[in-house]
Short mmCIF file of all heavy atoms in Angstrom, two decimals:
data_model
loop_
_atom_site.label_atom_id
_atom_site.label_comp_id
_atom_site.label_asym_id
_atom_site.label_seq_id
_atom_site.Cartn_x
_atom_site.Cartn_y
_atom_site.Cartn_z
N ASN A 122 -32.10 -2.54 -8.39
CA ASN A 122 -30.77 -1.95 -8.18
C ASN A 122 -30.06 -2.47 -6.93
O ASN A 122 -28.99 -1.97 -6.59
CB ASN A 122 -30.81 -0.41 -8.11
CG ASN A 122 -31.09 0.21 -9.44
OD1 ASN A 122 -30.69 -0.30 -10.48
ND2 ASN A 122 -31.79 1.33 -9.44
N ASN A 123 -30.63 -3.44 -6.23
CA ASN A 123 -29.99 -3.99 -5.04
C ASN A 123 -30.24 -5.50 -4.93
O ASN A 123 -30.95 -5.95 -4.03
CB ASN A 123 -30.48 -3.26 -3.78
CG ASN A 123 -29.57 -3.51 -2.60
OD1 ASN A 123 -28.46 -3.98 -2.73
ND2 ASN A 123 -30.08 -3.21 -1.42
N PRO A 124 -29.67 -6.27 -5.86
CA PRO A 124 -29.91 -7.72 -5.84
C PRO A 124 -29.14 -8.42 -4.71
O PRO A 124 -28.20 -7.84 -4.15
CB PRO A 124 -29.37 -8.18 -7.20
CG PRO A 124 -28.32 -7.19 -7.53
CD PRO A 124 -28.80 -5.88 -6.96
N PRO A 125 -29.54 -9.64 -4.39
CA PRO A 125 -28.75 -10.42 -3.43
C PRO A 125 -27.32 -10.58 -3.94
O PRO A 125 -27.06 -10.54 -5.14
CB PRO A 125 -29.46 -11.79 -3.41
CG PRO A 125 -30.85 -11.50 -3.87
CD PRO A 125 -30.72 -10.37 -4.84
N LYS A 126 -26.40 -10.77 -3.03
CA LYS A 126 -24.97 -10.86 -3.35
C LYS A 126 -24.69 -11.89 -4.44
O LYS A 126 -23.89 -11.65 -5.34
CB LYS A 126 -24.19 -11.20 -2.08
CG LYS A 126 -22.69 -11.24 -2.27
CD LYS A 126 -21.96 -11.53 -0.97
CE LYS A 126 -22.04 -13.03 -0.74
NZ LYS A 126 -21.17 -13.50 0.32
N ASP A 127 -25.36 -13.04 -4.40
CA ASP A 127 -25.11 -14.10 -5.37
C ASP A 127 -25.54 -13.73 -6.80
O ASP A 127 -25.08 -14.34 -7.76
CB ASP A 127 -25.84 -15.38 -4.97
CG ASP A 127 -25.30 -15.97 -3.68
OD1 ASP A 127 -24.33 -15.42 -3.12
OD2 ASP A 127 -25.85 -16.98 -3.22
N LEU A 128 -26.41 -12.75 -6.93
CA LEU A 128 -26.89 -12.33 -8.26
C LEU A 128 -26.28 -11.00 -8.71
O LEU A 128 -26.52 -10.56 -9.83
CB LEU A 128 -28.42 -12.20 -8.23
CG LEU A 128 -29.20 -13.46 -7.91
CD1 LEU A 128 -30.68 -13.15 -7.78
CD2 LEU A 128 -28.96 -14.52 -8.96
N ARG A 129 -25.50 -10.38 -7.86
CA ARG A 129 -24.98 -9.04 -8.15
C ARG A 129 -24.11 -8.99 -9.40
O ARG A 129 -24.24 -8.09 -10.22
CB ARG A 129 -24.22 -8.52 -6.94
CG ARG A 129 -23.91 -7.03 -7.06
CD ARG A 129 -23.52 -6.40 -5.75
NE ARG A 129 -24.69 -6.39 -4.87
CZ ARG A 129 -24.66 -6.74 -3.58
NH1 ARG A 129 -23.54 -7.12 -3.03
NH2 ARG A 129 -25.75 -6.69 -2.86
N ASN A 130 -23.20 -9.96 -9.59
CA ASN A 130 -22.33 -9.94 -10.77
C ASN A 130 -23.13 -10.08 -12.07
O ASN A 130 -22.86 -9.39 -13.06
CB ASN A 130 -21.26 -11.02 -10.69
CG ASN A 130 -20.22 -10.71 -9.65
OD1 ASN A 130 -20.06 -9.58 -9.21
ND2 ASN A 130 -19.50 -11.74 -9.22
N LEU A 131 -24.11 -10.97 -12.07
CA LEU A 131 -24.95 -11.14 -13.25
C LEU A 131 -25.73 -9.86 -13.52
O LEU A 131 -25.78 -9.38 -14.66
CB LEU A 131 -25.92 -12.32 -13.06
CG LEU A 131 -26.93 -12.54 -14.18
CD1 LEU A 131 -26.23 -12.86 -15.50
CD2 LEU A 131 -27.90 -13.66 -13.79
N TYR A 132 -26.31 -9.28 -12.49
CA TYR A 132 -27.07 -8.04 -12.63
C TYR A 132 -26.19 -6.91 -13.18
O TYR A 132 -26.55 -6.24 -14.15
CB TYR A 132 -27.66 -7.64 -11.27
CG TYR A 132 -28.29 -6.28 -11.25
CD1 TYR A 132 -29.55 -6.08 -11.81
CD2 TYR A 132 -27.64 -5.19 -10.69
CE1 TYR A 132 -30.14 -4.82 -11.80
CE2 TYR A 132 -28.22 -3.94 -10.68
CZ TYR A 132 -29.46 -3.76 -11.24
OH TYR A 132 -30.04 -2.52 -11.24
N THR A 133 -25.01 -6.74 -12.60
CA THR A 133 -24.10 -5.68 -13.02
C THR A 133 -23.66 -5.87 -14.48
O THR A 133 -23.61 -4.91 -15.25
CB THR A 133 -22.87 -5.64 -12.10
OG1 THR A 133 -23.31 -5.45 -10.76
CG2 THR A 133 -21.92 -4.52 -12.47
N TYR A 134 -23.37 -7.11 -14.85
CA TYR A 134 -22.95 -7.37 -16.22
C TYR A 134 -24.09 -7.10 -17.21
O TYR A 134 -23.87 -6.49 -18.26
CB TYR A 134 -22.41 -8.79 -16.39
CG TYR A 134 -21.87 -9.00 -17.77
CD1 TYR A 134 -20.75 -8.29 -18.21
CD2 TYR A 134 -22.47 -9.86 -18.67
CE1 TYR A 134 -20.25 -8.43 -19.48
CE2 TYR A 134 -21.98 -10.02 -19.95
CZ TYR A 134 -20.88 -9.31 -20.36
OH TYR A 134 -20.40 -9.44 -21.63
N MET A 135 -25.30 -7.51 -16.87
CA MET A 135 -26.43 -7.26 -17.78
C MET A 135 -26.68 -5.77 -17.94
O MET A 135 -26.96 -5.30 -19.04
CB MET A 135 -27.68 -7.98 -17.28
CG MET A 135 -27.59 -9.50 -17.48
SD MET A 135 -29.06 -10.39 -17.00
CE MET A 135 -30.19 -9.95 -18.33
N LEU A 136 -26.53 -4.99 -16.85
CA LEU A 136 -26.67 -3.54 -16.96
C LEU A 136 -25.59 -2.95 -17.87
O LEU A 136 -25.87 -2.05 -18.67
CB LEU A 136 -26.58 -2.87 -15.58
CG LEU A 136 -27.81 -2.89 -14.73
CD1 LEU A 136 -27.55 -2.13 -13.43
CD2 LEU A 136 -29.02 -2.31 -15.43
N SER A 137 -24.39 -3.46 -17.76
CA SER A 137 -23.29 -2.93 -18.59
C SER A 137 -23.54 -3.17 -20.07
O SER A 137 -23.07 -2.40 -20.92
CB SER A 137 -21.95 -3.53 -18.16
OG SER A 137 -21.83 -4.87 -18.61
N LEU A 138 -24.27 -4.22 -20.40
CA LEU A 138 -24.55 -4.52 -21.80
C LEU A 138 -25.49 -3.51 -22.45
O LEU A 138 -25.44 -3.30 -23.66
CB LEU A 138 -25.14 -5.93 -21.93
CG LEU A 138 -24.20 -7.08 -21.59
CD1 LEU A 138 -24.97 -8.40 -21.56
CD2 LEU A 138 -23.04 -7.14 -22.57
#
Side-chain angles (χ1 to χ4, degrees):
N122 289 327
N123 196 15
K126 183 178 80 168
D127 294 357
L128 299 174
R129 192 164 292 135
N130 288 342
L131 176 62
Y132 172 77
T133 303
Y134 185 65
M135 288 183 73
L136 279 182
S137 75
L138 293 172

